[in-house]
Amino acid sequence: MSFSLGIVGLPNVGKSTLFQALTRNKVEASNYPFCTIDPNVGVVPVPDPRLEKLAEISKSAKIIPTAIEFVDIAGLVQGASEGEGLGNKFLSHIREVDAIVQVVRHFSDDNVTHVHGNIDPDYDKQIINLELIMADIDTVGKHMEKVLTKMKGAYDKSLDQEKKILEKCQKTLAENLMLNTLDFDKEEKKILRQLNLLTTKPIIYLYNVDEENVGKDLGLPEGSIAICAKTEAELADLDEAEAKEYLQELGVEKSGLESLIVASYKLLSLITFLTTGPEETKAWTVTEGSKAPQAAGVIHTDFEKGFIRAEVVNWQTLLDDGGWNQAKEAGHMKMEGKDYIIKDGDTVHFHFN
């Protein structure tokens, strides 16, 4: 299970520079609006130092990390929900991603034009969020019309429920609030999923800061992260050892990519479990709270259908013991059934028929 993050923001906030740095893809990044029209897509392996260590004791032929997909979506402008700046096309790209990374300009550079003439992160966020809200108002309104038309026919209890949910959404959106501020139950989520609403998606606010502010506490809103796209671009040109040394010089522990991955995993409630053996050591991503059969299904649907049991041991315990056989002998390997909830760092061997 890989997941996708859509990088959005106003024109000239550093989205394409950031995308290029994160994915090491060469994309157009110029000082004028809409230099990015079609979305660029880059798949990035998720750094996980556990893999190499497990591969060593398993003598694995290859190491396969889990992956994250970044989608660089063209700059949105005020009026995008009404088609300004090819906005409708851009908004449709956002519908396809799992979460939104909204890049907010926090850096100063006289050579890079700001679409509104001055640096105001809060105002920029409001513009983007309002465009997403306006697009959802339109989508919900159109769907409500269809529901009301159907209700004129034979009585259907499910339509009453759908109407109530849509009314709940309309009320929230009319107050210029995002739908991700609401709690929806399982049934409501199922109904809303078909609409693919923009403001139901989780959002990470990523402040693109000046180089001299890297690693500093800038008093940014809780849940947001600060990354310098310029610094990330420099890191992308270095090998692993050089990049680590450069980060130490800057006084920061993680690269922007690592910080963004950590934030996105937390936002989407994702965890990683591992499989290891002579053929390969591999990382797999699942939603927190997934049971063993669901995790097996991420590897192959047949594994979930024919699930019997799972052998489970924490990766560090497996490492300390020196391998599967030693972990079994030490009594650290547990045999788990269908109700076992997978934990981050579990090393798992599935049995199925």
Side-chain angles (χ1 to χ4, degrees):
M1 171 189 171
S2 62
F3 58 100
S4 59
L5 299 178
I7 302 176
V8 305
L10 293 171
N12 298 342
V13 296
K15 291 184 297 77
S16 293
T17 302
L18 182 69
F19 173 84
Q20 180 174 320
L22 295 177
T23 63
R24 302 196 175 198
N25 276 0
K26 300 300 180 186
V27 299
E28 188 69 41
S30 301
N31 180 25
Y32 58 89
F34 312 121
C35 76
T36 310
I37 294 178
D38 293 319
N40 296 295
V41 178
V43 178
V44 178
V46 174
D48 193 334
R50 298 174 294 190
L51 294 173
E52 200 169 322
K53 293 173 182 177
L54 288 174
E56 193 175 331
I57 64 165
S58 297
K59 296 180 172 55
S60 303
K62 56 185 176 180
I63 296 172
I64 306 174
T66 188
I68 182 170
E69 182 180 87
F70 289 103
V71 183
D72 179 27
I73 298 167
L76 291 170
V77 295
Q78 201 160 14
S81 58
E82 297 171 359
E84 289 294 325
L86 302 177
N88 286 328
K89 183 179 180 182
F90 300 161
L91 289 167
S92 70
H93 296 315
I94 302 173
R95 296 188 194 281
E96 306 307 316
V97 299
D98 296 308
I100 297 169
V101 177
Q102 188 179 140
V103 182
V104 183
R105 180 169 174 174
H106 196 279
F107 67 89
S108 302
D109 189 337
D110 293 337
N111 296 316
V112 180
T113 308
H114 188 281
V115 72
H116 293 128
N118 65 303
I119 311 301
D120 188 341
D122 288 340
Y123 181 61
D124 292 355
K125 282 166 61 177
Q126 286 173 22
I127 288 175
I128 297 294
N129 289 346
L130 187 57
E131 291 308 318
L132 300 179
I133 287 167
M134 294 301 290
D136 278 357
I137 286 174
D138 184 56
T139 302
V140 173
K142 286 177 179 174
H143 195 72
M144 178 67 91
E145 288 175 12
K146 291 178 183 177
V147 170
L148 293 174
T149 300
K150 288 179 184 176
M151 290 179 76
K152 291 175 182 176
Y155 176 73
D156 185 340
K157 186 181 177 181
S158 66
L159 291 174
D160 281 335
Q161 186 182 14
E162 197 166 349
K163 180 172 175 283
K164 284 178 184 175
I165 295 167
L166 293 174
E167 286 172 342
K168 179 179 175 181
C169 291
Q170 285 180 322
K171 183 177 183 294
T172 301
L173 294 167
E175 294 170 355
N176 287 343
L177 295 173
M178 312 277 273
L179 294 179
N180 58 21
T181 60
L182 298 178
D183 288 324
F184 295 105
D185 62 32
K186 191 175 179 180
E187 193 57 39
E188 288 176 325
K189 285 178 182 176
K190 185 179 176 183
I191 291 170
L192 290 176
R193 201 171 294 128
Q194 62 185 313
L195 300 183
N196 212 358
L197 297 168
L198 301 173
T199 65
T200 58
K201 295 184 183 297
I203 297 181
I204 296 171
Y205 293 103
L206 188 156
Y207 288 78
N208 187 5
V209 303
D210 290 301
E211 290 172 282
E212 59 265 29
N213 286 328
V214 172
K216 291 183 180 177
D217 183 0
L218 301 174
L220 300 177
E222 189 179 348
S224 59
I225 60 173
I227 292 178
C228 175
K230 265 189 180 181
T231 300
E232 291 305 309
E234 290 168 6
L235 284 168
D237 291 331
L238 303 175
D239 62 34
E240 191 176 339
E242 290 173 327
K244 194 173 287 186
E245 189 178 329
Y246 186 33
L247 287 171
Q248 286 175 345
E249 288 174 12
L250 293 172
V252 292
E253 294 180 9
K254 297 186 182 78
S255 68
L257 173 61
E258 290 172 302
S259 297
L260 181 54
I261 288 172
V262 169
S264 60
Y265 265 68
K266 185 178 178 181
L267 184 74
L268 294 167
S269 299
L270 300 175
I271 60 169
T272 302
F273 74 91
L274 310 145
T275 55
T276 187
E279 288 187 16
E280 65 182 32
T281 292
K282 189 168 181 176
W284 306 86
T285 303
V286 291
T287 305
E288 195 173 354
S290 295
K291 292 185 178 180
Q294 292 172 282
V298 171
I299 298 175
H300 198 289
T301 51
D302 288 346
F303 285 22
E304 183 173 6
K305 291 174 186 173
F307 178 88
I308 300 173
R309 63 185 182 276
E311 293 175 307
V312 183
V313 60
N314 174 268
W315 78 276
Q316 185 63 60
T317 304
L318 183 64
L319 204 64
D320 293 341
D321 288 341
W324 277 106
N325 291 336
Q326 295 90 327
K328 286 180 182 177
E329 289 169 9
H332 294 149
M333 190 276 291
K334 305 295 182 185
M335 198 71 75
E336 304 290 358
K338 292 183 178 181
D339 291 329
Y340 177 73
I341 295 174
I342 295 290
K343 299 179 185 67
D344 187 75
D346 275 349
T347 310
V348 189
H349 177 71
F350 293 105
H351 293 262
F352 64 99
N353 57 26

